[in-house]
Amino acid sequence: MNALLRAVDRLNQYIGLSVCHLYMICAVVTVYEVAMRYFFNSPTQWAFEVVMVVCGSAWALSGSYITMRRAHISITVVYEHAKGRGKWWLDLVILLISLAAMFTFTYALFDPMVHAVSSLERSGTSFNSPEPLILKTLLFVGALLYGLQLIVNLIKHLTGHGVPKSTELPGD
Amino acid sequence: MVDIQTATIIIVASMILLMMVGIPLGIVTLTVSICTALAYFGIPGLFLVASNAQGLLEAYPLVAVPLFVLMANILERSGVAEDLFDAMSMIAGRLRGGVAVQTTLVAVLMAAMTGIMGGEIVMLGLIALPQMLRLGYDKKLAMGTICAGGSLATLIPPSVIMIIYGLTANVSISDLFLGGFLPGLLLASLYIAYIMIRCRLQPHLAPLPDEGLIQLTGAEKAAKLKGLILPMLLILWVLGSIYGGIATVTEAAAVGVFGAIAAAASRKRLSWPMLQDALRKTMITVGTIVWLILGAVSFVGIYNVIGGNEFIQGLLRGLDIPPLGVIFVIMGILIVLGTFMEWIAIAYITVPIFAPVIVGLGFDPIWFGVLFVMNIQIYFLSPPFGPACFWLKSVAPPDITLQEIFMAVLPFIGLQIIGLTLVIIFPEIVLVLPRLLGG
């Protein structure tokens, strides 16, 4: 059991720390496009959709890492004043509602994804990549991993190994 | 089914309840949108939730957000800010309260390089605060200057908040950037005037350095001026590529990432671990924003479908007050929301509802966008949750309490309100640049 929990943690850690490099790729491709268009007068057909897919992947797949670190943006006024048992119950409520929402969301994303995959949905531009298909699949996977991490957090919470809320400042 | 008025009340009440428990805001809005969709349309309603969320991943202007955040994270680690602060000390040596004035000027230049406030306040807190405290400056004056100066990042282009506003209100982001420029300088001038007047009236607030006022030699000045070169180049590089017609806002952000990398390299601070760290921090910041927005867009979509937008717009239009009164009502709503909600959620939920009303009343949406940002800026400083104060607290000496910081920013909130009033009375402050230079 513990090995399984650790495996999910490690998977999401690995995914989170990997996808952050996609933002660099995003910057490189975008600058390449600007240079090609402005200096060589030959804009690429593919940069726009590649950037959307690369960036969208990073967005969709970073949710689970943030959930593991408990770094999502929330209002902590009441939470910070709760002590001991009260905090434990608050955490439980937060986890259960998050789980319910995330699993319904994952379920909601499933049919549109299957539809996009089976019909090989494409962007319809001149490059005509399967961008919508990829993004819909990634969002589904991202939500699924998010939900999976919530289950792990819940089990840890119930067995007394809960993760404290991250104090890392959310950005702005 | 209940009528839209009752539904709105139930939705708002449950949202506040869920938020107060401490549930992540993205989950709060997602939960409410799922429940609303199920209540109105049953299982097929979930399709609406999914398609709203999926649409978000194709919003190209949103790509600018991770790129600007990455640029700021790299700059933060490049040491450019220290050089800049040192360069501006030319001014500081020559007048009473000089270091506070210097801090404000550095804040303006930093704001023109980056579009996010958190990093800027942390940087100023690390560089300028120790300097002012060492010289015996009044703590409140020092901290207020840093929080107010740092929050200029939201108003002076580039600005992440304006990107979000532009996306939700469907107006040109590059025009919004232009619109924020003069109001940003106006606020900075108000801060500087306030600092100088107070230091003139109460000299003990800002003691002069022991060695007295310093006269620099020409060579010393030239050496210090070097610190200005990189920031100026970066500002020209990013804003120039937008307004020179070379790049879109998103592309300019990518160009800025490379500018920041070059700046870090020229200061020999560039390394793989440093870049790695900047990327990881960017992923966390942007991930929290995107998963919050995912919930918010799902909610906004559903609320619109059940007639919510029309209902609120009808309420606002039905008010028996002059058009400017409506603006004040809207700003009042924003202030109330600001006391318990995150600005990203506020922007995503309120702008699609308010923007059409504003346009219908004959106001310019660019002007309202700048007002919106100025309101958010006030919220950034205001107790009880003003994030600017929390950021400064995270890097301030441990004996400084949060209460002290909140007290310190009060006069500056007053100045922001003066600035806001001026922009309301003279919309030209916002509109003149977009008209002259905009698309």
Side-chain angles (χ1 to χ4, degrees), chain B residues 103-168:
Chain B
T103 304
T104 313
L105 291 174
V106 171
V108 169
L109 288 173
M110 297 291 308
M113 276 190 280
T114 69
I116 54 172
M117 183 192 63
E120 188 171 338
I121 288 183
V122 167
M123 264 187 282
L124 291 173
L126 288 172
I127 302 167
L129 188 61
Q131 174 85 343
M132 285 193 269
L133 295 182
R134 190 175 59 77
L135 286 171
Y137 272 51
D138 178 60
K139 262 198 241 168
K140 282 185 185 159
L141 183 71
M143 295 189 298
T145 305
I146 290 175
C147 286
S151 61
L152 287 172
T154 57
L155 197 52
I156 295 179
S159 151
V160 165
I161 301 194
M162 286 185 176
I163 296 173
I164 303 280
Y165 176 88
L167 256 174
T168 46

Side-chain angles (χ1 to χ4, degrees), chain A residues 21 37 52 59 73 75 172, chain B residues 25 57 116 246 251 343:
Chain A
H21 296 99
R37 190 182 62 221
M52 273 333 297
W59 289 339
I73 301 171
I75 307 290
D172 220 285
Chain B
L25 293 182
L57 292 192
I116 54 172
I246 300 167
E251 290 167 349
W343 69 267

Side-chain angles (χ1 to χ4, degrees), chain B residues 241-264:
Chain B
S241 61
I242 301 177
Y243 298 106
I246 300 167
T248 63
V249 169
T250 305
E251 290 167 349
V255 166
V257 169
F258 280 88
I261 289 177

Side-chain angles (χ1 to χ4, degrees), chain B residues 43-363:
Chain B
I43 297 287
L46 291 177
F47 177 70
L48 283 170
V49 177
S51 68
N52 284 324
Q54 286 162 339
L56 183 76
L57 292 192
E58 300 187 37
Y60 184 65
L62 205 56
V63 176
V65 174
L67 296 176
F68 275 126
V69 173
L70 177 59
M71 178 189 172
N73 278 325
I74 295 172
L75 273 183
E76 205 176 297
R77 290 159 179 77
S78 71
V80 169
E82 282 103 331
D83 285 356
L84 183 61
F85 190 72
D86 191 45
M88 298 310 266
S89 68
M90 265 193 315
I91 296 151
R94 307 190 49 182
L95 56 119
R96 198 172 274 282
V99 185
V101 174
Q102 171 192 1
T103 304
T104 313
L105 291 174
V106 171
V108 169
L109 288 173
M110 297 291 308
M113 276 190 280
T114 69
I116 54 172
M117 183 192 63
E120 188 171 338
I121 288 183
V122 167
M123 264 187 282
L124 291 173
L126 288 172
I127 302 167
L129 188 61
Q131 174 85 343
M132 285 193 269
L133 295 182
R134 190 175 59 77
L135 286 171
Y137 272 51
D138 178 60
K139 262 198 241 168
K140 282 185 185 159
L141 183 71
M143 295 189 298
T145 305
I146 290 175
C147 286
S151 61
L152 287 172
T154 57
L155 197 52
I156 295 179
S159 151
V160 165
I161 301 194
M162 286 185 176
I163 296 173
I164 303 280
Y165 176 88
L167 256 174
T168 46
N170 215 359
V171 296
S172 153
I173 294 168
S174 66
D175 280 357
L176 274 171
F177 279 7
L178 283 173
F181 199 70
L182 290 182
L185 292 186
L186 172 74
L187 280 185
S189 322
L190 287 175
Y191 299 157
I192 291 175
Y194 167 78
I195 292 165
M196 289 175 60
I197 292 171
R198 272 206 69 186
C199 292
R200 177 65 56 91
L201 297 177
Q202 299 166 285
H204 64 274
L205 292 181
L208 292 170
D210 294 336
E211 55 276 24
L213 293 175
I214 310 154
Q215 274 303 340
L216 293 177
T217 64
E220 280 172 330
K221 276 187 192 161
K224 284 194 182 267
L225 271 179
K226 272 208 215 113
L228 272 175
I229 297 174
L230 271 181
M232 286 299 180
L233 280 178
L234 267 177
I235 292 169
L236 273 178
W237 177 248
V238 174
L239 295 182
S241 61
I242 301 177
Y243 298 106
I246 300 167
T248 63
V249 169
T250 305
E251 290 167 349
V255 166
V257 169
F258 280 88
I261 289 177
S266 80
R267 293 197 78 268
K268 302 197 169 50
R269 292 278 185 95
L270 186 64
S271 68
W272 181 239
M274 177 272 224
L275 206 56
Q276 190 88 352
D277 187 43
L279 281 165
R280 193 191 70 94
K281 190 82 198 302
T282 304
M283 180 267 293
I284 292 179
T285 302
V286 175
T288 54
I289 292 178
V290 165
W291 280 89
L292 198 173
I293 298 179
L294 271 175
V297 287
S298 308
F299 168 72
V300 169
I302 291 287
Y303 189 63
N304 189 19
V305 170
I306 65 168
N309 288 17
E310 239 171 89
F311 164 67
I312 306 239
Q313 286 160 3
L315 277 187
L316 287 170
R317 289 201 186 99
L319 291 174
D320 194 18
I321 48 175
L324 211 52
V326 178
I327 297 275
F328 281 105
V329 170
I330 289 177
M331 291 201 305
I333 297 174
L334 292 179
I335 289 170
V336 173
L337 290 176
T339 55
F340 63 88
M341 226 189 206
E342 239 280 333
W343 69 267
I344 308 166
I346 298 177
Y348 258 93
I349 293 171
T350 64
V351 173
I353 298 176
F354 291 153
V357 177
I358 302 289
V359 176
L361 289 170
F363 293 112

